Amino acid sequence: MKRLSIFLITMMLAAMPASAGNVDRTAASNSINALRADKNLAALQYSTQLEKTARAHADDMVRNGFFSHTGSDGSSIGKRLTRSGYGWCTAAENIASGQTSLAAVMSSWTKSRGHRKNMLNRKVTEFALARGTGNTWVMVLARPGC
C-alpha cells in the first residue's frame, strides 16, 4: 500500500504538462519504478542511449504522419536498437498519442494489459521515454548484452 501511495503521489507531481521532447527523467523513473516496486521488481535505470532511439521513433511518426511500432522504413524496435549501436537481448516498446502529461501517459499504459506487461517485464533493466510534437510518446525498455 505504501508503494502504491508513492506511485500516486509521483503521478500527481508529474501531471504538469511538459513541452514536446522535454520529459522529466526523474519523474518518469519514479513513476515506472514505483509501479515495479509494487510488484517487488527491480528498479530500471534511465538510459540516454535508449532515449535517442525513442526520440528518433517519435520524430519519425510525427514527421511522416503515422502511429505504429513499425518505423516508416519498416523497422522494428529491435532493428532500431541495433542500428543505434545498442547491443540488446530483450526489448519492448510502448507508444501513445494525445496524452498531455507524463501522469496521463503512464496512467494509460498502466491500465493497458500489454503496455503494463512491458513495464513490468522482469527481463528489462533500462528504459527511456521521449515525447514528440503533438503528444506522441515512445517508451523503450530493454536489457543490454546477455
Side-chain angles (χ1 to χ4, degrees):
M1 188 66 177
K2 182 178 178 183
R3 290 179 182 153
L4 180 58
S5 296
I6 293 169
F7 175 72
L8 293 173
I9 291 168
T10 301
M11 295 300 282
M12 289 186 315
L13 291 173
M16 297 181 296
S19 62
N22 184 17
V23 175
D24 182 335
R25 294 174 183 171
T26 301
S29 294
N30 289 343
S31 183
I32 194 168
N33 286 327
L35 177 68
R36 290 176 64 84
D38 197 46
K39 298 295 183 184
N40 295 316
L41 296 172
L44 301 180
Q45 296 298 310
Y46 196 90
S47 167
T48 56
Q49 189 172 7
L50 292 180
E51 184 178 4
K52 291 175 186 174
T53 302
R55 161 76 34 230
H57 188 52
D59 290 347
D60 181 35
M61 287 192 289
V62 169
R63 184 175 45 256
N64 292 296
F66 72 97
F67 184 73
S68 174
H69 289 287
T70 303
S72 62
D73 62 355
S75 62
S76 65
I77 181 57
K79 278 190 173 186
R80 291 189 293 274
L81 286 170
T82 299
R83 187 170 49 213
S84 76
Y86 186 89
W88 62 280
C89 67
T90 300
E93 179 180 70
N94 287 350
I95 60 174
S97 182
Q99 293 81 356
T100 59
S101 68
L102 174 61
V105 77
M106 290 299 292
S107 177
S108 292
W109 285 333
T110 300
K111 292 174 186 173
S112 163
R113 183 178 175 160
H115 294 107
R116 183 180 175 89
K117 182 178 176 183
N118 286 343
M119 294 188 297
L120 296 176
N121 185 329
R122 294 178 185 276
K123 295 179 182 177
V124 299
T125 58
E126 299 179 337
F127 88 104
L129 181 61
R131 180 182 187 179
T133 303
N135 294 310
T136 299
W137 300 82
V138 178
M139 176 184 278
V140 177
L141 307 106
R143 179 177 180 177
C146 288

